[in-house]
Amino acid sequence: MYSDQSALDLVALVGAPNVGKTTLYNWLTNSKFKTVNYPGATVEYAVGRSAERLEANCYFMDTPGTYSLFPKSSDEEVTLRALYDQHEQGQVKKIICVVDGSQLDRHLLLAEQIYLSGFPMVLVVTMADLLTKNNLKLNIEALEQKFNGPVVLFDGVLGGGLKELIQKMKELELTQPTKLPAWSHDQIQEKIEMIRELSSRVYGDADSKSVYKRTEQVDRWLLHQYFGLAFFFVIMSLLFSSIFWLAKPFMGMIDFSFTWLGNQAVALAPNSLLTDFLAHGLIASLGAVSVFAPQIFILFFGIGILESTGYLARAATLIDKPFSKLGLSGRSFVPILSGFACAVPAMMATRNISSKRDRMITNFIIPLMTCSARLPVYALLLSFAFKDAAAWKQGVALALLYLGSLFLGSLVAGILNKILAKSEMSLFMMELPIYRIPRWKILFHDSLSRTKTYLLRAGPVIFVFAVIIWAGTTFPNYSTENKSEKMESSYLGQVGRSIGPVFEPMGIDWRVGAGLLSAFAAREVFVSSMAIVFNVSGEDEESQAQGLLKSMKEAKLPNGQLLFTLASVSGLIVFFMIALQCMSTFSVAIKENGSWKFALIQLISFNVIGYILAVSVVQGFKSLGLG
Amino acid sequence: MTDEKNPGITLFDFSKNGDSGPLSGPQGSSESLQKSALILGFSGPRLVTDRLQEFGMHSGLMIRYVGRAPFQGPLLYRMGATVVALREEEAQCILINPL
């Protein structure tokens, strides 16, 4: 089966941003690939086995969008390196160069560079559906002659052209590619002239105006001086509010299932340690975090829609001027928006910011954005603070927290912009692609797999902490009837009291303090820790979530005062807004900035400032008599 | 292609006095009212001029000013089927001949 010459060769897909490269990649691999992706684009290269039914028997590699083989941003360096490096699947043997059929004059320069490097190449012209719809007929022979190789038209919506592409790719003969020496200014001019002449021959009398007519009409609204901003706010509010109202029924269902599961476990053997661990340790903590999976899915899905329709490029354009006042650029918009999902892919997404200074400032403020791991924490704390208030108040408070993180980010960026020396010129230069209808199936599949990754990654950490915290609060006096006495004399209680003084100024006791410490493994662990520490009397009929809220509401400090008051909850929220409690973010910060110093400054300053502000808020509230 | 002796008029000079193009209203102005120009060459930091050319800009290309993003943000130009958003400093690196 693998005997033919192209068997298991590594074939790279190369093309400018927004040409439909990733769509083609999805068709070629049947969406089965491993990748470190962020909603919006390819930041690492992804490698996947060819879909079985295509009988291509090779690996396909998707690379970040690039305009040329002479890189200008770290994103483009990734692509260049990927083409020449040795990979697990060997070296890149062939290239599929992807160009947008409605913009050949802009994309063929890259094809020329690949052709001159000597890679065996199939040229794929995308947007075939748009071309057909608008009766545009291209002179494909002219392209075949120029690049002395096959050219295939591809329709990303229906997958038309796929078979032909595989056939042509298999027929390519292997060569020894070389690295292209940099072009002089005159050479570039010469090449550009050649490409212009070539594309005018390919287009002939065809008029591409009809292709972009609808986009132009939509842009009149979406980029309008006033309406444009209004749409921007409406679209962003819709995205973030849907995280709550749309997710609510699904969250209810998940909460219900875990509550049922816990009750079943207890019913198996009501007084055994094992079922106690299962119900009040493992199931409670996994349930506390799984409840938020629908919200995370909706966030990824929403960002995916904005990206694939072409709106994100418009949003970046709208926001460029205000952002530039803070030392950022419109290009920082996508990474910052992704930061609301997770700081790890968001930091990787800063690679397409060409200015080092812009990139550093963006990376510095990303961990301040309300990432999905903070969501469970805020939701818990707010539902506690607003337990008897109308549901919309909680929603408004959450919206304010999201806005608050943007405000904090702007503040920090503004300060850094003042402190840091200005270096090279920062570039914006953004292409606004034609509006397209998203491919819902791919989007759905993608968001689902990201949500799964989130749960799988969080799972083991939550399990470990569930064991530690359950055992720590259960032993040594596990047979004691009095629950609070059992807790006080437990191992965790003993350790907790020794670190208690650190948390006292925040208005919290050692139990919450232990939760805060466990949150350094991952923020959402705070919620599962709280579920174990406080949900000790979970044998009632209520749902898990309600049970937890009830025990938290009744919890008292050693001096008899209530533990969770407006003051202490506000203090906790302030701490979670600022503190950098995520080890994955810390390690990505080191990698993406190539500097321990950057990551350490970020880690220490965010945590120290978070603690000081939290203490100030708590003490401030108390002095006002709101403790 | 940098013309040191005759810097001429830049794409930015050309656009700054114009109205905001079709983006000024949902109905928009007709295409004939939009301002077009021919690119003559480039001048400015190599980083910018190289990138502009890789973006598909070249001398002789017709480029049309279509408007400006809010807050005096990036300027929007159509070239062929594409719209590109350029900052002032970037548009200043493109030398043009108004049509």
Side-chain angles (χ1 to χ4, degrees), chain A residues 103 106 192 196 426 428, chain B residues 53 55 58 82 85 87 90:
Chain A
Q103 313 187 42
R106 301 188 47 228
I192 285 172
R196 182 157 62 117
S426 118
F428 178 62
Chain B
Q53 295 183 64
F55 234 70
H58 49 79
T82 324
R87 282 185 173 172
E90 291 159 353

Side-chain angles (χ1 to χ4, degrees), chain B residues 4-58:
Chain B
E4 304 282 341
K5 282 172 224 146
N6 178 19
I9 168 169
T10 72
L11 191 58
F12 174 61
D13 301 326
F14 167 70
S15 344
K16 70 179 170 191
N17 299 321
D19 62 27
S20 349
L23 305 177
S24 57
Q27 283 76 41
S29 49
S30 71
E31 226 168 74
S32 57
L33 289 178
Q34 293 172 7
K35 302 203 293 179
S36 297
L38 276 185
I39 294 179
L40 288 181
F42 303 92
S43 128
R46 179 87 195 254
L47 177 77
V48 184
T49 57
D50 274 8
R51 174 41 64 97
L52 285 168
Q53 295 183 64
E54 280 159 10
F55 234 70
M57 297 196 179
H58 49 79

Side-chain angles (χ1 to χ4, degrees), chain A residues 67-68 70 72-73 76 102-103 105-106 109 113 183-186 188-189 192-193 196 208-209 211-212 216 219-221 223-227 229 317-318 320-322 324 328-331 358 424-434, chain B residues 1-2 20 22-31 34 42 45-61 64 66-74 76 78-90 93:
Chain A
Y67 288 101
S68 112
F70 308 124
K72 296 212 166 42
S73 71
E76 298 181 332
S102 63
Q103 313 187 42
D105 45 343
R106 301 188 47 228
L109 196 63
Q113 291 173 348
W183 285 347
S184 71
H185 229 65
D186 288 346
I188 296 178
Q189 279 302 314
I192 285 172
E193 193 57 38
R196 182 157 62 117
S208 59
K209 216 171 272 174
V211 175
Y212 61 80
E216 206 156 61
D219 269 344
R220 280 179 195 160
W221 290 94
L223 286 176
H224 185 270
Q225 297 283 339
Y226 308 113
F227 294 119
L229 286 179
T317 305
L318 284 172
D320 182 59
K321 193 71 182 192
S324 69
L328 304 168
S329 91
R331 287 186 174 269
D358 288 9
E424 81 275 57
M425 183 172 168
S426 118
L427 291 183
F428 178 62
M429 236 182 270
M430 179 75 91
E431 178 178 347
L432 307 183
I434 289 174
Chain B
M1 199 57 203
T2 311
S20 349
L23 305 177
S24 57
Q27 283 76 41
S29 49
S30 71
E31 226 168 74
Q34 293 172 7
F42 303 92
R46 179 87 195 254
L47 177 77
V48 184
T49 57
D50 274 8
R51 174 41 64 97
L52 285 168
Q53 295 183 64
E54 280 159 10
F55 234 70
M57 297 196 179
H58 49 79
S59 54
L61 180 80
R64 189 152 56 81
V66 291
R68 188 159 196 178
F71 312 115
Q72 294 293 300
L76 307 168
R78 173 167 296 289
M79 39 184 218
T82 324
V83 171
V84 287
L86 301 179
R87 282 185 173 172
E88 279 178 22
E89 311 90 275
E90 291 159 353
C93 295

